[in-house]
Amino acid sequence: MDSTGTTTASYVAQGGNDPAAAKHLAHAIEIATENVRNAGGPFGAVVVAADGQVFEGLNRVTADLDPSAHAEVSAIRNACKGLGTFDLSGAVLYTSCEPCPMCLATSLWARIDRVYFAANRYDAADAGFDDAVFYRYFEGEDSDRTIMPVAQETLPPAQRVAPFTEWTTLSTRTEY
């Protein structure tokens, strides 16, 4: 989305007048607001599983000293634990704000079917949560990756792929 709220990112689906989405988004906003009052960040998320079970997540980054404790990640963790699976196919994520790249990637790994959000990344930036550098890191050129260079180190091939070799020969592995 640009600064006017117009969708430009290809992964953002246009919302509509879905009463269920509005209800769950209102709940995500409500728990996010309450989380602020309890030393948490202003983000809340709800996962609705395929069977209708509802799981909440709150942003506890500063409260728990955990940079991965975003609301969406927490809601996905709670849903996976509650359902006894890492595969949330059929589930929908409702979040008070547009997911950052980490939260979006977590949603993809969990096989979430759809994500709805209320506020966008520009609304978050206006409140001091500017993730633009992270979006540029993933969407941009190599010159945008100066905040944290990532490089593959040259190792002997057998050493480099040893964990994958072990994985492919393990008969008790769980595919994902």
Side-chain angles (χ1 to χ4, degrees):
M1 292 184 194
D2 63 21
S3 61
T4 66
T6 303
T7 300
T8 57
S10 61
Y11 73 86
V12 178
Q14 290 294 328
N17 293 327
D18 181 344
K23 173 186 152 194
H24 293 299
L25 284 172
H27 183 63
I29 292 166
E30 178 183 305
I31 63 175
T33 304
E34 185 61 31
N35 193 47
V36 171
R37 297 179 187 123
N38 291 304
F43 304 95
V46 175
V47 170
V48 178
D51 67 1
Q53 291 185 70
V54 177
F55 301 89
E56 297 178 356
L58 300 169
N59 180 289
R60 303 300 292 173
V61 170
T62 57
D64 294 350
L65 305 177
D66 178 356
S68 70
H70 288 206
E72 299 89 341
V73 173
S74 297
I76 290 168
R77 287 176 180 160
N78 291 336
C80 289
K81 286 179 185 173
L83 297 169
T85 183
F86 56 82
D87 184 343
L88 298 179
S89 294
V92 178
L93 173 65
Y94 301 91
T95 180
S96 63
C97 188
E98 181 176 0
C100 73
M102 177 183 69
C103 294
L104 184 60
T106 303
S107 300
L108 291 166
W109 276 109
R111 296 171 180 84
I112 296 282
D113 277 8
R114 187 173 187 89
V115 177
Y116 289 94
F117 61 87
N120 64 37
R121 66 179 81 171
Y122 305 103
D123 298 322
D126 289 344
F129 295 89
D130 192 352
D131 295 341
V133 68
F134 301 123
Y135 288 103
R136 281 193 307 274
Y137 187 92
F138 291 105
E139 296 171 350
E141 303 295 322
D142 287 341
S143 61
D144 293 316
R145 296 190 181 95
T146 58
I147 61 168
M148 185 186 70
V150 176
Q152 182 179 13
E153 186 61 39
T154 303
L155 295 172
Q159 180 184 8
R160 183 182 72 231
V161 298
F164 298 119
T165 302
E166 186 70 19
W167 172 258
T168 58
T169 62
L170 185 66
S171 63
T172 59
R173 71 180 178 260
T174 300
E175 298 288 342
Y176 64 98

